[in-house]
Amino acid sequence: MFDRSQIIHLIQQDLKHSQLTESLRNLGLDDGGMYSLDLMSLVAQLMQVQPEQMENFAEIYGSYLDKAAEYPVTYLGEHLLPVAEACYARLMDSKED
């Protein structure tokens, strides 16, 4: 089984990474996805997402990654913890649909 707090921490770190890559993109340094960590796949695996649920899962997860740039960038990414928790809750809800 998976540990909720560890998954939320992974999501938080992915949000922080998304902030970094978006900031670089805004500076004209687009990596074309080459530096993607693909933590979404790891989170999906830990949450035991079924293949038929992956499209919806990726859409929800990606929407939160897109929102990350709206939050202050900090060393620990503490502003992203509530975002990661909300993302996790929404992903869990989507698994039950």
Side-chain angles (χ1 to χ4, degrees):
M1 198 64 181
F2 57 90
D3 180 84
R4 176 186 181 277
S5 65
Q6 291 174 331
I7 293 172
I8 290 171
H9 185 71
L10 278 172
I11 295 170
Q12 181 183 15
Q13 293 308 305
D14 206 9
L15 293 168
K16 187 171 168 63
H17 182 261
S18 183
Q19 284 182 323
L20 169 65
T21 55
E22 182 62 25
S23 295
L24 290 173
R25 217 177 346 269
N26 289 337
L27 292 172
L29 301 171
D30 192 349
D31 68 351
M34 190 162 81
Y35 298 115
S36 171
L37 299 176
D38 194 28
L39 292 181
M40 182 184 339
S41 295
L42 179 57
V43 169
Q45 182 182 12
L46 291 171
M47 292 181 72
Q48 301 173 349
V49 175
Q50 299 302 310
E52 61 272 9
Q53 297 172 316
M54 271 308 293
E55 186 175 337
N56 187 46
F57 179 91
E59 187 176 309
I60 292 168
Y61 194 99
S63 72
Y64 280 88
L65 290 178
D66 292 343
K67 292 178 188 176
E70 299 171 11
Y71 293 85
V73 176
T74 62
Y75 179 71
L76 297 175
E78 60 271 9
H79 296 289
L80 297 172
L81 181 58
V83 182
E85 290 169 339
C87 179
Y88 176 82
R90 187 148 173 233
L91 292 170
M92 287 300 291
D93 288 345
S94 74
K95 281 183 60 174
E96 295 171 7
D97 293 341

